[in-house]
Amino acid sequence: VLVATEEELRLLGLLTPDEWATKAPKRNIRNVTLNKAELTESGVVATLLLEGADALEDLERKHRSIRVMLDVLDEHLTDLAPGGRASKVLFAVRTRYITDELDMLWHPDITTLGRDTVTGEEVDIPRNERLLVGGASGSGKSWSTRALMARAVVHPDEKLACFIDGKGEEATVWRGVCPCAVEHEEIIDAIEEAHAEMLRRRDLLAAENLSVWNASLGPRLLYVIDEGQAVLQAVELEDKIRKSRRGDEDYEPDKTVMQKLVELSSQGRSRDVILMWMTQNPLRSGSDRGITSAIRANFDYGLCLRVNTPENTETVLNAGSGVEPHNLPKGTRFRGHAYLNVHGRNLLRTWTVTDDMVRLLGYPNHGRGMWPRDVALKTLHGQPDALWTPDLLASHTGCGRVQANRFLRTFSREGLMVADGDKFRFVPQSEEGR
Ligand SMILES: Nc1ncnc2c1ncn2[C@@H]1O[C@H](COP(=O)(O)OP(=O)(O)OP(=O)(O)O)[C@@H](O)[C@H]1O
Ligand SMILES: [Mg+2]
């Protein structure tokens, strides 16, 4: 049962056919009428009816005027989405997100990136796709990719081959779970080794007369680069040092490290050497660029958290994405939330993998049985006939009331439990799956 907040009641009061008919024309919004508005799990959603061929473009241009007309809070995003017919558009004020109600803690059975904040559906990046991630400092780049890294650790056909961390903070969490490269020498060695492995795989494919890699030849390798600009600077410095040694007797002419890095990004895929690239400065030029044009060209998937400029957005999502991660409000609310270039205009929320959870990955069997979800389920199964409340579950697991509530809602969504007023109970075995 959804209970409207004061702000939602205010919006619903303004989003009526009559209010719209008097206020909208004053803002020069014409050829659009409001049919109805309702409160959903993802905010207040109004159905607008369009007249005339250009009404949609016109409405999109007036997006900000509508925000002002309704005096929407800065923290509430608004969007215009297709309404199922050419003449219908949904205007939504995202006062809430369904993902706020669901358990967003990752566990080893999850194979995706996160959930759509509006529909709640899981959103994935295929395992064989390279991913570019952009986001301002503190927006959640390192955390947002943890689920994909963890997936590579858990999946038997995959290997988290190396975590190359130009800044070094995130790597402290991953030590013991996968190889980490932080110091200058380590970063250069990791790139050289990845490139050598790619060539080894190329030769193996040629010898076996195959065009693409398959799992029987070896695991898919995931190389993760965090803080692209620091890694690029290390590579450029290394190449400069090597160039200056050209006259030395033991100098061996070889490809530059930069060339190898570009080749890794362009040629790795068919050999199952997959690159993930994160940067807080998604620009392709300037001394502190976070990626080069040559490398950027090889990423089909782009995930954009809050960034600082429209140029940043364009680098990650390409032009014409229709979303504005550069306008996401600063602060903690939207950390770990992002837009994915292949997923339309809905905001995503990435799974949460805490530091403690990363460490669980290093345990035998990846710590199965010890994950928060496992603990919650075990507790619930301990008293299968009880009526559970968030408070009760919280007191039994120590996980906090909000998280306990999210567990119960998620289990209900999954059909394991049913909500009975504000209490939850297990679905009797005989009813399950009906
Ligand atoms: N998916 C998420 N779930 C829960 N919390 C998150 C998520 N993403 C980010 N956060 C929170 O935001 C904080 C910052 O995230 P993170 O360290 O990933 O940012 P960053 O973009 O990598 O920053 P930097 O540029 O400083 O490395 C985390 O410590 C965490 O508290
Ligand atoms: Mg980081």
Side-chain angles (χ1 to χ4, degrees):
V1 195
L2 296 173
V3 182
T5 62
E6 226 169 275
E7 175 64 6
E8 286 164 341
L9 286 175
R10 188 187 70 80
L11 288 167
L12 287 167
L14 290 173
L15 288 166
T16 62
D18 290 349
E19 283 280 331
W20 183 275
T22 41
K23 290 208 165 112
K26 287 184 194 151
R27 305 260 167 190
N28 243 336
I29 302 164
R30 298 178 200 283
N31 298 329
V32 180
T33 53
L34 189 147
N35 182 20
K36 60 169 182 164
E38 59 182 347
L39 179 62
T40 73
E41 284 170 311
S42 315
V44 177
V45 182
T47 308
L48 304 178
L49 304 178
L50 309 176
E51 287 159 39
D54 302 328
L56 181 57
E57 288 73 21
D58 202 33
L59 194 63
E60 279 179 338
R61 274 195 296 275
K62 305 271 164 58
H63 193 152
R64 293 202 183 276
S65 300
I66 305 175
R67 281 186 70 96
V68 176
M69 181 174 93
L70 300 172
D71 202 16
V72 174
L73 291 170
D74 289 347
E75 72 204 55
H76 291 156
L77 306 183
T78 48
D79 56 72
L80 288 160
R85 291 177 169 273
S87 64
K88 247 191 201 179
V89 173
L90 302 178
F91 172 75
V93 184
R94 303 294 174 198
T95 50
R96 58 174 83 198
Y97 295 96
I98 190 168
T99 39
D100 293 337
E101 297 293 314
L102 297 175
D103 164 33
M104 290 302 298
L105 294 180
W106 189 84
H107 57 83
D109 291 330
I110 289 179
T111 60
T112 55
L113 170 72
R115 283 188 193 276
D116 185 309
T117 58
V118 175
T119 64
E121 70 179 309
E122 290 192 31
V123 179
D124 196 17
I125 307 273
R127 295 166 195 273
N128 62 342
E129 292 291 348
R130 313 166 179 121
L131 175 68
L132 170 64
V133 181
S137 185
S139 60
K141 294 176 296 298
S142 305
W143 275 53
S144 293
T145 42
R146 283 178 172 185
L148 301 181
M149 290 168 66
R151 166 174 88 176
V153 173
V154 171
H155 197 274
D157 288 348
E158 275 179 288
K159 193 174 156 198
L160 184 50
C162 191
F163 181 43
I164 303 171
D165 185 0
K167 212 160 64 172
E169 284 165 12
E170 179 71 4
T172 54
V173 186
W174 286 91
R175 277 191 203 285
V177 178
C178 68
C180 297
V182 174
E183 302 298 328
H184 178 87
E185 301 295 326
E186 292 172 336
I187 292 174
I188 302 303
D189 285 352
I191 295 169
E192 298 268 16
E193 275 167 32
H195 188 265
E197 172 62 16
M198 191 181 78
L199 294 186
R200 194 187 70 76
R201 289 186 167 207
R202 178 196 64 188
D203 295 344
L204 189 70
L205 283 180
E208 298 275 329
N209 224 345
L210 292 168
S211 63
V212 284
W213 194 257
N214 64 60
S216 70
L217 300 170
R220 173 170 296 140
L221 301 177
L222 177 64
Y223 287 88
V224 180
I225 292 187
D226 199 350
E227 296 305 345
Q229 92 240 43
V231 171
L232 284 178
Q233 278 167 8
V235 168
E236 277 163 357
L237 176 66
E238 179 68 17
D239 284 336
K240 216 184 260 175
I241 295 170
R242 290 189 187 181
K243 203 172 164 192
S244 71
R245 292 181 50 219
R246 238 178 214 170
D248 293 4
E249 266 173 37
D250 63 343
Y251 173 79
E252 289 176 47
D254 188 10
K255 281 183 184 149
T256 62
V257 185
M258 185 64 93
Q259 278 168 323
K260 291 181 181 173
L261 189 58
V262 173
E263 286 184 6
L264 254 179
S265 75
S266 67
Q267 300 171 15
R269 210 175 80 141
S270 55
R271 299 151 197 172
D272 263 359
V273 177
I274 307 297
L275 206 58
M276 192 151 82
W277 186 288
M278 288 174 243
T279 173
Q280 61 169 289
N281 194 24
L283 290 178
R284 283 166 274 202
S285 57
S287 60
D288 58 350
R289 62 186 173 173
I291 192 160
T292 70
S293 298
I295 295 174
R296 171 65 190 93
N298 300 311
F299 287 82
D300 288 341
Y301 282 69
L303 180 75
C304 199
L305 296 113
R306 182 180 62 75
V307 287
N308 290 320
T309 66
E311 291 75 29
N312 293 153
T313 298
E314 196 175 320
T315 301
V316 184
L317 301 177
N318 287 326
S321 64
V323 291
E324 301 182 342
H326 46 277
N327 284 333
L328 279 175
K330 289 188 175 141
T332 58
R333 176 68 178 93
F334 289 104
R335 290 191 310 199
H337 288 68
Y339 295 98
L340 179 66
N341 64 338
V342 296
H343 187 74
R345 295 187 181 189
N346 285 357
L347 190 63
L348 312 184
R349 176 163 169 179
T350 57
W351 297 111
T352 295
V353 190
T354 64
D355 292 0
D356 288 338
M357 289 158 75
V358 174
R359 288 189 196 101
L360 284 179
L361 293 168
Y363 280 68
N365 201 14
H366 312 303
R368 278 179 200 266
M370 295 159 77
W371 291 83
R373 178 192 169 95
D374 299 340
V375 174
L377 270 178
K378 195 172 161 205
T379 306
L380 293 167
H381 278 300
Q383 294 179 47
D385 301 324
L387 277 177
W388 287 93
T389 60
D391 283 321
L392 199 58
L393 181 59
S395 73
H396 278 67
T397 57
C399 70
R401 195 187 168 281
V402 172
Q403 182 56 41
N405 190 29
R406 288 179 186 156
F407 278 139
L408 293 169
R409 285 187 187 282
T410 297
F411 296 150
S412 305
R413 228 176 116 90
E414 291 171 2
L416 290 172
M417 302 189 87
V418 281
D420 193 344
D422 56 355
K423 297 189 170 63
F424 295 80
R425 62 179 173 81
F426 269 110
V427 176
Q429 292 291 312
S430 58
E431 281 179 36
E432 227 172 318
R434 213 183 256 176

